[in-house]
Amino acid sequence: MLGIETSCDETSAAVVADGQSVRSLVTYSQIAIHQAFGGVVPEVASRQHVAVITRTVEQALTEANVQLSQLDGIAVTCGPGLLGALLVGLSAAKGYALVSGLPFFPVHHIAGHVAAAGLEAQWRPPMLCLVVSGGHTELLVVDENFRFQRLGGTVDDAAGEAYDKVARLCGLNYPGGPEIDKLAAQGNPDALDLPRSFLDSEELSFSFSGLKSAVANRLEKARRNHEYLPVEDICASFQQAVLDVLVTKTSQAAKKTGLRRIVVAGGVAANRGLRQAMAQLACRADLEIFFPNPVYCTDNGAMIAAAGSHMMKAGRHGTLDVNAYANLSFAEWQNLTS
Ligand code: KG4
Ligand code: ZN
């Protein structure tokens, strides 16, 4: 399966066998370009995708040593994401599908993140999924037919977005997650008293914008009082607040659904603190927790190819009239295929 991903700031293509074995993965990251702006600029992202998409796909095919005609299908992210960026990958995929006559699989970006857990590992649905990325924080259930049910999610900012915003407040580089991850390991998680939304509620919801504002207010107060706050302590305290919420909500969702196998996916799943905290939860609550290899946590074509394979196995094909969708619910996505 060829997988193509262009929903945000990575142009990526991969060839994956059986939803599991990565034969090639080529990613052109635009991070360096967007760093100058402190975040992703949509129009710049689209133009950059156009510049490298063909090269990326051709290189993925070459590295996997396959011709287009030897593939079983073509999978591509059709949403959610930046509309202009999505359109580039989608149009390229449609072109390849049209000339080759291969089956076409439009993939939901979040379903791709979840499928990353099956790369170079065993794929074992039904599973509970916590997806934490720059655009999403969601609790889901994936079944044997690669169908998704949403249990809950963020009511405002995504976890990764909060990482990026807090990093910016601290004067760190974009994307902020990896920077905060590193510094947090050297700081005191109890140094700042920060809020943990919905922690005492049974509701499977998240909110991170209040946490970001609390960090901003605390930094402002320190500035006014000429108080020195080590950046390591800010990062450690912020990260601890995020982790407490993610772990508690995942534990509540496991209890509610009775599911014992859990996938943690998305860019923030690369976080070392989150991996540790979830491993502790697994021990405490007798759960099996799977993390994709960190290489496959951030946006990439391999996870999209894997998702396409799961769709093919479930007999869910798409047609070439599928559009790109900035917003796309799982129900809407599932209606795109038959
Ligand atoms: O999944 P992804 O590549 O793109 C989206 O679909 O959003 O996730 C990117 C997000 C960014 O917000 C980035 O700061 C965050 O994932 N991230 C991390 C880490 N690595 C990436 N957050 C926390 N710790 C990390 N190690
Ligand atoms: Zn993503």
Side-chain angles (χ1 to χ4, degrees):
M1 182 72 62
L2 170 68
I4 299 175
E5 155 67 34
T6 64
S7 69
C8 191
D9 58 351
E10 326 273 3
T11 319
S12 186
V15 176
V16 173
D18 302 323
Q20 203 170 27
S21 165
V22 181
R23 297 289 162 84
S24 68
L25 172 57
V26 179
T27 303
Y28 281 86
S29 174
Q30 307 177 3
I31 285 177
I33 296 168
H34 297 290
Q35 249 163 6
F37 305 99
V40 178
V41 183
E43 183 57 27
V44 173
S46 312
R47 286 165 190 251
Q48 197 56 30
H49 286 310
V50 171
V52 300
I53 184 68
T54 315
R55 221 189 305 162
T56 309
V57 173
E58 303 288 325
Q59 197 178 333
L61 292 172
T62 306
E63 284 185 17
N65 200 18
V66 290
Q67 313 259 318
L68 206 53
S69 59
Q70 292 172 287
L71 297 169
D72 289 332
I74 296 173
V76 61
T77 311
C78 65
L82 302 171
L83 200 55
L86 286 164
L87 276 168
V88 178
L90 187 69
S91 307
K94 284 182 182 178
Y96 285 111
L98 199 63
V99 293
S100 63
L102 286 170
F104 178 74
F105 301 94
V107 174
H108 191 290
H109 182 75
I110 298 300
H113 274 300
V114 173
L119 290 170
E120 316 292 1
Q122 252 190 320
W123 178 249
R124 297 170 63 196
M127 295 185 287
L128 175 65
C129 318
L130 171 69
V131 179
V132 271
S133 72
H136 299 267
T137 303
E138 317 216 15
L139 276 162
L140 318 160
V141 176
V142 58
D143 71 13
E144 294 84 346
N145 291 319
F146 205 56
R147 285 186 182 273
F148 287 76
Q149 184 202 338
R150 188 177 186 274
L151 303 174
T154 183
V155 296
D156 43 53
D157 291 354
E161 192 177 352
Y163 267 94
D164 295 335
K165 287 179 175 170
V166 168
R168 202 169 176 171
L169 290 172
C170 296
L172 303 172
N173 267 339
Y174 171 84
E179 302 269 327
I180 291 186
D181 195 4
K182 263 185 256 152
L183 292 167
Q186 302 151 35
N188 171 11
D190 300 319
L192 275 67
D193 186 18
L194 297 172
R196 284 132 169 91
S197 299
F198 295 112
L199 200 64
D200 300 320
S201 137
E202 283 297 303
E203 209 180 309
L204 295 176
S205 300
F206 303 87
S207 164
F208 294 108
S209 82
L211 173 58
K212 176 213 64 194
S213 304
V215 173
N217 292 339
R218 185 66 186 80
L219 291 184
E220 176 56 24
K221 187 175 151 203
R223 196 188 59 77
R224 272 201 317 267
N225 297 341
H226 304 290
E227 175 194 0
Y228 170 64
L229 282 180
V231 68
E232 291 85 355
D233 286 356
I234 304 168
C235 292
S237 302
F238 163 75
Q239 175 148 307
Q240 193 58 52
V242 174
L243 299 189
D244 284 352
V245 173
L246 294 180
V247 169
T248 304
K249 290 295 151 193
T250 304
S251 164
Q252 285 176 350
K255 277 193 198 125
K256 227 175 215 177
T257 58
L259 289 167
R260 313 212 64 77
R261 277 197 301 274
I262 301 174
V263 167
V264 183
V268 182
N271 187 273
R272 286 175 299 170
L274 180 59
R275 286 174 178 249
Q276 253 171 31
M278 284 292 178
Q280 285 161 4
L281 170 67
C283 275
R284 229 177 25 243
D286 189 25
L287 301 168
E288 263 185 287
I289 304 197
F290 303 88
F291 279 88
N293 180 325
V295 176
Y296 306 127
C297 278
T298 45
D299 293 349
N300 68 84
M303 69 186 200
I304 302 304
S309 287
H310 298 314
M311 290 171 71
M312 185 170 71
K313 220 176 238 170
R316 287 167 46 203
H317 293 234
T319 53
L320 293 183
D321 57 4
V322 164
N323 218 328
Y325 303 92
N327 297 304
L328 182 65
S329 70
F330 285 108
E332 286 163 344
W333 169 58
Q334 276 146 196
N335 281 337
L336 294 177
T337 53
S338 53

